[in-house]
Every structure is written in C-alpha cells, then in structure tokens.
Amino acid sequence: MRLHTLGALVALGALGAGAACAQPIDENPPTKTIQCIDVGGQSIPASCNVPGSRLDPREYICTCPNGGQRVEVAVCAKGQKPPAESKALNVARREGIRDGSLLGDTVKGQAICVAPRNRG
C-alpha cells in the first residue's frame, strides 16, 4: 500500500513539473511554444491545452502523446516566416534538440521558428 502511495506522489510531482514548463502567463503574444520532434528531426503534432478564446494565442500546456521529444521553439515574429520543411531542417532540428530546445537555432542562416497560433 505504501508503494502505491509513493508512486502516486511521484506522479503528481512529475505533473507539477510539466505544468511549470508551460508558457509564461505574462507573455501575450507568446514568444515560444512546444514542438514534438522525432529522432530523425521530423515534427510530430503536439497536443496543446489552449484558452477557449480564438483571440488569445497563449497555450497552457503542450504534450507529445504521439511520441517525439518535447522541445521549446520560438514563435515567429511579425513578418517572419518559418523555414520550409526539408531534409536540412530535419537535420538541424535533430542536432538542435540535444540541449532540449530549438531556441536560437538556425537552418541555412534562417531562424527555426513556428507560425503563431491563430495568425490573423
């Protein structure tokens, strides 16, 4: 019985740590988001809990239920476009996720970023 209680406490601690990795509340619009990256560098769709408003671009928490490593990536600034999907981008993401983040990483001189949610 004690082992089950200890396991439940560890699981709750892990959930709390995951919530701490969500986007900062004070960033509106957000400057970073989460991507799920496969071992080959391919992007896998993330599942994000978002506000009910279509006008609020923030995300509360994103997970990778279909696999892949959960990494932070910059949201493209106004007028900036994300790099096109290519083998070079996959290689850059594969190398970039070694530190757990794609923030500040580039491919062929272009910053790796993703389009903002609800681009208007």
Side-chain angles (χ1 to χ4, degrees):
M1 183 66 160
R2 288 184 182 172
L3 187 58
H4 293 294
T5 304
L6 180 62
L9 289 174
V10 169
L12 284 174
L15 287 175
C21 294
Q23 289 180 344
I25 295 286
D26 60 347
E27 281 188 3
N28 196 10
T31 59
K32 60 186 175 182
T33 188
I34 299 297
Q35 257 191 342
C36 303
I37 306 297
D38 197 3
V39 294
Q42 295 86 1
S43 178
I44 300 172
S47 176
C48 298
N49 182 1
V50 299
S53 169
R54 291 182 295 154
L55 302 176
D56 190 350
R58 293 177 291 180
E59 298 165 342
Y60 297 132
I61 185 95
C62 294
T63 59
C64 298
N66 297 322
Q69 182 175 343
R70 185 178 179 272
V71 296
E72 288 185 332
V73 62
V75 173
C76 296
K78 191 171 186 173
Q80 184 181 24
K81 291 187 178 182
E85 288 293 326
S86 65
K87 183 173 180 161
L89 178 59
N90 290 345
V91 170
R93 284 191 293 219
R94 184 180 66 221
E95 298 297 320
I97 63 173
R98 291 182 183 181
D99 65 356
S101 169
L102 292 174
L103 298 173
D105 292 346
T106 61
V107 58
K108 295 184 179 179
Q110 184 181 6
I112 296 176
C113 65
V114 295
R117 191 171 73 81
N118 294 335
R119 184 186 293 260

